[in-house]
Amino acid sequence: MPRQLHLNAFLMNTGHHEASWRLPESDPYAHVSLAHYVNLARVAERGTFDSLFLADGPQLWNNLAQRPAGALEPLTLLTALATATEHIGLIATASTSYNSPYNLARKFASLDIISGGRAGWNIVTTAGAEAARNFGLDAEPAHAERYARAAEFLDVALKLWDSWEDDAIVADKAAGVWGDDAKIHPPRHAGTYFSVQGALNVPRTPQGYPLLVQAGSSEDGKGFAARYAEAVFTAQQTIEDARAFYADLKARTAAAGRDPEHIKVLPGIVPVIGSTEAEARAAEQVLEDHIVHTHGVGRLESLLQLPSGTLELDSELPSDLPPEDAIEGAKSRYTLVVELARRERLTVRQLIGRLGGGRGHLTFAGTPEQVADAIETWFTQGAADGFNIMPPVLPSGLDAFVDHVVPILRARGLLRTEYGPRRTLRERYGLPRPANQYVSTPATGTPALV
Amino acid sequence: MPRQLHLNAFLMNTGHHEASWRLPESDPYAHVSLAHYVNLARVAERGTFDSLFLADGPQLWNNLAQRPAGALEPLTLLTALATATEHIGLIATASTSYNSPYNLARKFASLDIISGGRAGWNIVTTAGAEAARNFGLDAEPAHAERYARAAEFLDVALKLWDSWEDDAIVADKAAGVWGDDAKIHPPRHAGTYFSVQGALNVPRTPQGYPLLVQAGSSEDGKGFAARYAEAVFTAQQTIEDARAFYADLKARTAAAGRDPEHIKVLPGIVPVIGSTEAEARAAEQVLEDHIVHTHGVGRLESLLQLPSGTLELDSELPSDLPPEDAIEGAKSRYTLVVELARRERLTVRQLIGRLGGGRGHLTFAGTPEQVADAIETWFTQGAADGFNIMPPVLPSGLDAFVDHVVPILRARGLLRTEYGPRRTLRERYGLPRPANQYVSTPATGTPALV
Ligand SMILES: Cc1cc2nc3c(=O)[nH]c(=O)nc-3n(C[C@H](O)[C@H](O)[C@H](O)COP(=O)(O)O)c2cc1C
Ligand SMILES: Cc1cc2nc3c(=O)[nH]c(=O)nc-3n(C[C@H](O)[C@H](O)[C@H](O)COP(=O)(O)O)c2cc1C
């Protein structure tokens, strides 16, 4: 069997294109519709995707005038989807900057148990002052500090998830002994950002802990990924950049003493699918025609950390933008956008059009064959272990992908044709169940909760 | 139609009796079994209960040796149950001492939307140093401070839940205007415990916000309830105490400027049901015989804030216990336990036996008729608006209640015979949908999300 492609469905209300909600087919209340998400999850499961993914930030991301704002909180929504699906992984974004390790570790452990081992955590540090101001801070913590806190957060969370050995439950009714307290290991952690004494109040879960996913591509972000991440979402505009990123991340992971096979790299792709190339381009044009460009200016100024009113729609970006080093927000996205604009000499209006589809992710318009070819090329040429599929319009874009691209990928032997027996998310991604850091010789036999 | 009884099913792994897990019928893994809870939820729905309820504390509550420890996190579990049920309310406990208002407000809003308006929040301040030490503190915050923080937490949460007007979403596709930013009201809250600037990233929900439930009966607890709570869980050992508590709470609520009908008082009852009285007593005895009394000593010492080794199994409590004022933990539970022991001159061993069933809640052993009589008496004599049903063994104790007591209550016209059309949890409890604090004249028509 050839190496298998991993597919993740990145779900976002009416789709990733910012104007998608304006299409006649779109439900403007999709962002709070359980039925909408249940349908999407089932379509993705029909396409034998590895997982679903929801982005998140603890703030109202944009003005209401512009496009759908607000969302169901990802862990909550994915828990509801756990009971509506059987096989697919459930990856929720949650911030290390604005959560407590004890609370978050419990929630992911609970979801992992409820879903039978299908939980994943997209670990983000959350850029921006708006989120900070919802949590008692005046300003965004510095980028390096956010990542330092993230690393300590992970250390604590891993201790909590390992705080029960797999076989801590004895269940000896006759003797009146339910569990073995010697198999409980309170973290007793006292660090720079956190002090957490006690064991988790959830047993060790089917996966041990959720699949750890990471999505920041700055230097610090890549360092963090090499140390902790098992899957990485990334935005890449060209195959050259993607190959360089892929090789770099695998090398860093090896340098961190880990098996580079144990980190899966998943670039995002926004597939605009038509039965002919012309049809795909026309669909792209319809979406672009629905963009309100003036709305995009403010968002671009905020990403580039420019004062409001700096950018002009029909000019290029200013030539004196600061280097990535000077950016405290989303560093790698900043560089990607600036390089895209410079490389193609785009005006602000054109840049907004280009970002409208996927906020920096690669938009690829074509026939199902062409989309499958692009995926196969990146996959076989060292640029990807799989893809983050980001349909521009939902649900139709996911339907189109599953109905027309998936069969081609299957015919080429790149994608499973069925799920087979139930597996954990980590098993789907070809990753081992992590050992418990407190156990030198793992228990024999199957752990009770697996 | 006579005044209607409200029933809440308080679910807890194998049941409320601490020895329930040792019975042959009990599943020692019930605490992490979704199937177990789905079954319980459906049984409660068969009994047309108003709601389900899960207790919680962010710490490992007891030693594993003693009895089942750990649990699925309540908001997560209730979200999974939301999709497995249709009518029943879902009340999750969450602590104001160890959460951020922004995160918690989002989770409850998301659950309220997903469940079609069935979310409730049991607001607790969380006693004990163990929880504190999982969140960076060295010791439990003082009781008064916990309640001061709880009040500010509620003020912020209410602002967040009101931060979207019901009709903020316009969805004008042609004009490209999705929502009306003038209908968004960021809290801009800067207080003693919290500073929260921005609006919630979830629209206003079917209920406006979750049903607000409270469960502490100290002076501060009752003050808090009078101001915010719409339902109150309470542990009462005698009808006299329960009537006094009921009258006091209704009076305080009126004094706080609220309609006393808008706070529902629900004492806990542990029904031990037998087809004859002797059978019920025998069932109680079987449970008591399974208690390991030495385990109870440490728990009692901790509740009474006594040094370990103070209590002797076959003596009464020491006579020089401090007054409730001196207790920083669970004040009202402290007083209830001390008064119960003194009133009935119980030894420590007997007290542990009495608390084993319901940790201070009234245990009532009898036939279905006798249980229904007790419920009717308390309900009609000014002691209760309904009950928190706490089966000693699960699922069998809930089955018994629904199959044998519920039909009697229905025959007496005290309990609905069917749910009828879908309603919100607040409607089931006969409470109005709250107005939005930022809107002087409510929007006409049905809000989009209701
Ligand atoms: C596919 C993808 C999804 C992402 N989702 C989120 C998200 O939901 N929330 C978030 O705060 N950051 C998210 N990010 C990460 C931000 O882009 C990242 O925080 C930002 O780039 C800052 O990290 P960096 O400075 O290391 O690049 C995502 C990134 C990618 C590639
Ligand atoms: C039925 C019932 C359920 C309760 N559940 C919880 C709970 O889940 N978590 C918690 O911290 N406190 C819970 N309590 C409340 C504690 O008993 C309360 O925090 C304690 O009594 C302290 O409040 P007080 O000092 O105002 O009495 C519950 C109380 C009752 C009556």
Side-chain angles (χ1 to χ4, degrees):
Chain A
M1 193 165 68
R3 180 168 151 256
Q4 293 291 292
L5 194 60
H6 298 288
L7 294 184
N8 176 61
F10 183 172
L11 306 183
M12 183 174 279
N13 54 63
T14 55
H16 286 272
H17 196 285
E18 65 165 273
S20 56
W21 74 272
R22 297 185 63 189
L23 299 189
E25 71 189 73
S26 291
D27 172 8
Y29 297 97
H31 65 313
V32 289
S33 163
L34 178 62
H36 175 72
Y37 283 100
V38 167
N39 173 51
L40 294 175
R42 291 186 175 151
V43 173
E45 217 166 41
R46 184 155 56 76
T48 56
F49 276 54
D50 294 69
S51 48
L52 303 174
F53 161 60
L54 295 172
D56 191 56
Q59 82 253 36
L60 194 55
W61 257 335
N62 55 277
N63 291 344
L64 268 66
Q66 301 180 12
R67 58 186 164 137
L72 298 168
E73 190 279 325
L75 268 165
T76 311
L77 176 51
L78 289 174
T79 302
L81 297 182
T83 59
T85 55
E86 207 183 332
H87 299 285
I88 201 160
L90 308 157
I91 303 176
T93 298
S95 171
T96 53
S97 300
Y98 306 114
N99 277 292
S100 310
Y102 201 92
N103 286 342
L104 200 64
R106 293 177 73 190
K107 294 214 153 73
F108 275 109
S110 301
L111 176 58
D112 202 47
I113 291 174
I114 283 174
S115 64
R118 295 188 281 137
W121 175 18
N122 177 37
I123 308 161
V124 299
T125 62
T126 311
E130 289 213 333
R133 293 198 195 102
N134 292 337
F135 294 86
L137 302 179
D138 290 332
E140 171 180 36
H143 190 270
E145 194 185 322
R146 295 204 306 275
Y147 273 105
R149 180 179 156 114
E152 192 181 326
F153 196 115
L154 261 282
D155 292 338
V156 177
L158 291 168
K159 287 180 193 177
L160 287 167
W161 288 319
D162 283 346
S163 65
W164 293 52
E165 294 187 25
D166 283 313
D167 53 359
I169 302 174
V170 175
D172 185 343
K173 290 182 179 182
V177 176
W178 183 77
D180 181 352
D181 291 289
K183 299 201 167 176
I184 297 294
H185 304 279
R188 305 204 195 294
H189 175 92
T192 309
Y193 299 97
F194 305 107
S195 154
V196 178
Q197 284 298 306
L200 201 64
N201 52 2
V202 187
R204 201 156 191 266
T205 73
Q207 294 193 100
Y209 46 84
L211 179 77
L212 301 179
V213 183
Q214 197 273 353
S217 300
S218 62
E219 278 299 302
D220 282 345
K222 284 187 280 194
F224 181 90
R227 194 162 145 201
Y228 299 102
E230 300 169 285
V232 168
F233 297 149
T234 179
Q236 302 292 338
Q237 283 284 328
T238 66
I239 189 167
E240 293 74 30
D241 286 353
R243 293 183 64 183
F245 178 83
Y246 185 96
D248 182 32
L249 203 60
K250 297 278 177 169
R252 286 178 195 246
T253 303
R258 296 174 56 209
D259 182 343
E261 292 281 306
H262 291 173
I263 188 165
K264 306 296 179 189
V265 179
L266 308 174
I269 179 173
V270 182
V272 186
I273 300 166
S275 56
T276 62
E277 207 177 317
E279 208 180 272
R281 297 233 173 273
E284 203 178 10
Q285 191 59 49
V286 168
L287 282 165
E288 198 163 329
D289 291 345
H290 281 87
I291 291 180
V292 180
H293 287 83
T294 45
H295 287 158
V297 174
R299 287 204 302 277
L300 203 49
E301 285 167 343
S302 140
L303 177 75
L304 303 177
Q305 300 192 4
L306 296 171
S308 165
T310 315
L311 295 180
E312 311 222 350
L313 266 180
D314 294 303
S315 308
E316 290 184 38
L317 293 184
S319 54
D320 56 348
L321 291 173
E324 179 178 305
D325 281 355
I327 297 298
E328 286 302 331
K331 283 184 189 271
S332 56
R333 197 59 59 92
Y334 171 86
T335 300
L336 181 146
V337 167
V338 172
E339 284 181 359
L340 170 67
R342 296 258 157 85
R343 187 170 58 240
E344 307 194 15
R345 305 214 52 182
L346 303 173
T347 65
V348 166
R349 184 189 304 275
Q350 289 167 326
L351 182 59
I352 289 169
R354 285 292 289 278
L355 296 176
R359 302 178 308 284
H361 288 266
L362 180 68
T363 298
F364 189 94
T367 63
E369 284 285 343
Q370 289 172 322
V371 173
D373 288 348
I375 286 176
E376 183 168 4
T377 304
W378 283 48
F379 180 58
T380 54
Q381 303 295 310
D385 293 313
F387 285 85
N388 204 6
I389 305 298
M390 303 171 57
V393 185
L394 287 169
S396 63
L398 190 63
D399 284 328
F401 189 89
V402 167
D403 292 338
H404 302 294
V405 181
V406 160
I408 299 170
L409 298 173
R410 285 179 178 156
R412 296 182 188 176
L414 299 174
L415 183 68
R416 62 179 75 85
T417 54
E418 56 180 2
Y419 283 116
R422 281 195 70 156
R423 291 218 159 73
T424 67
L425 175 56
R426 219 182 240 104
E427 286 167 334
R428 295 249 174 264
Y429 274 100
L431 299 161
R433 183 171 191 264
N436 188 321
Q437 64 187 293
Y438 297 108
V439 181
S440 39
T441 40
T444 52
T446 309
L449 289 179
V450 171
Chain B
M1 191 164 69
R3 181 167 151 257
Q4 291 292 293
L5 193 60
H6 298 287
L7 294 183
N8 176 61
F10 183 172
L11 306 182
M12 183 174 278
N13 55 64
T14 55
H16 285 272
H17 196 286
E18 65 166 271
S20 57
W21 74 273
R22 296 185 64 190
L23 299 189
E25 72 188 72
S26 292
D27 173 8
Y29 297 97
H31 66 312
V32 289
S33 162
L34 179 62
H36 174 73
Y37 283 101
V38 167
N39 172 51
L40 294 175
R42 290 185 177 154
V43 173
E45 215 165 42
R46 184 154 57 77
T48 56
F49 276 55
D50 294 69
S51 47
L52 303 174
F53 162 59
L54 296 172
D56 191 56
Q59 83 254 34
L60 194 55
W61 257 334
N62 55 278
N63 291 344
L64 268 66
Q66 302 181 10
R67 57 186 164 137
L72 297 167
E73 191 278 325
L75 268 165
T76 311
L77 176 51
L78 290 174
T79 302
L81 296 183
T83 59
T85 55
E86 206 181 333
H87 300 285
I88 201 160
L90 310 157
I91 303 177
T93 299
S95 171
T96 53
S97 299
Y98 305 114
N99 278 292
S100 310
Y102 201 92
N103 286 342
L104 200 64
R106 291 177 73 192
K107 293 212 154 70
F108 275 109
S110 300
L111 176 58
D112 202 48
I113 291 173
I114 282 173
S115 64
R118 296 188 281 139
W121 175 19
N122 178 36
I123 308 161
V124 298
T125 64
T126 312
E130 289 213 333
R133 293 200 195 102
N134 291 338
F135 293 87
L137 302 179
D138 289 332
E140 172 179 38
H143 191 270
E145 194 185 322
R146 294 205 307 275
Y147 273 106
R149 181 180 155 114
E152 191 181 326
F153 196 116
L154 261 283
D155 292 338
V156 177
L158 292 168
K159 287 180 193 175
L160 287 167
W161 287 319
D162 282 347
S163 64
W164 291 54
E165 295 187 25
D166 283 313
D167 54 358
I169 302 173
V170 175
D172 185 341
K173 291 181 179 182
V177 176
W178 183 78
D180 181 352
D181 291 289
K183 298 198 167 177
I184 297 294
H185 305 278
R188 304 201 193 297
H189 175 92
T192 309
Y193 298 96
F194 305 107
S195 155
V196 178
Q197 284 299 305
L200 202 64
N201 52 1
V202 187
R204 202 158 191 266
T205 72
Q207 292 193 101
Y209 46 85
L211 179 77
L212 302 179
V213 183
Q214 197 275 353
S217 299
S218 63
E219 278 299 303
D220 281 346
K222 285 188 281 194
F224 180 90
R227 195 163 145 201
Y228 298 102
E230 300 170 285
V232 168
F233 297 149
T234 180
Q236 302 291 337
Q237 283 285 330
T238 67
I239 188 167
E240 294 73 30
D241 285 354
R243 291 182 65 184
F245 178 84
Y246 186 96
D248 181 31
L249 203 60
K250 297 278 177 170
R252 286 178 196 245
T253 303
R258 295 174 57 207
D259 183 342
E261 292 281 307
H262 290 173
I263 189 165
K264 306 295 179 189
V265 179
L266 307 174
I269 179 172
V270 182
V272 187
I273 301 166
S275 56
T276 62
E277 209 177 316
E279 208 180 89
R281 297 234 174 272
E284 205 178 9
Q285 191 58 49
V286 167
L287 283 164
E288 199 163 328
D289 290 345
H290 281 88
I291 292 181
V292 181
H293 287 82
T294 46
H295 287 158
V297 174
R299 287 205 300 276
L300 202 50
E301 284 168 344
S302 142
L303 176 75
L304 302 177
Q305 298 192 4
L306 296 171
S308 166
T310 315
L311 295 179
E312 310 221 349
L313 264 180
D314 294 303
S315 308
E316 291 185 35
L317 293 184
S319 56
D320 56 347
L321 290 174
E324 179 178 305
D325 281 355
I327 297 297
E328 285 302 332
K331 282 183 189 272
S332 56
R333 195 60 59 90
Y334 171 86
T335 299
L336 180 146
V337 167
V338 173
E339 285 182 356
L340 169 66
R342 296 258 156 87
R343 188 170 59 239
E344 307 194 15
R345 304 214 52 182
L346 302 174
T347 63
V348 167
R349 184 188 303 275
Q350 288 168 326
L351 182 59
I352 288 169
R354 286 292 290 276
L355 295 175
R359 301 177 309 283
H361 289 267
L362 181 68
T363 297
F364 189 94
T367 62
E369 283 286 342
Q370 288 172 320
V371 172
D373 288 349
I375 286 176
E376 182 168 5
T377 305
W378 283 46
F379 180 58
T380 54
Q381 302 296 310
D385 294 314
F387 285 85
N388 204 6
I389 305 298
M390 302 170 55
V393 185
L394 287 169
S396 64
L398 190 62
D399 284 328
F401 189 90
V402 167
D403 292 339
H404 302 295
V405 182
V406 160
I408 301 172
L409 298 172
R410 284 179 179 156
R412 296 182 189 177
L414 299 174
L415 183 68
R416 61 179 76 86
T417 54
E418 56 178 3
Y419 283 116
R422 281 195 70 156
R423 290 220 158 73
T424 67
L425 174 57
R426 221 182 238 103
E427 286 168 334
R428 296 249 175 261
Y429 274 101
L431 299 162
R433 183 171 192 266
N436 187 320
Q437 64 187 295
Y438 297 108
V439 182
S440 40
T441 39
T444 52
T446 309
L449 290 179
V450 172

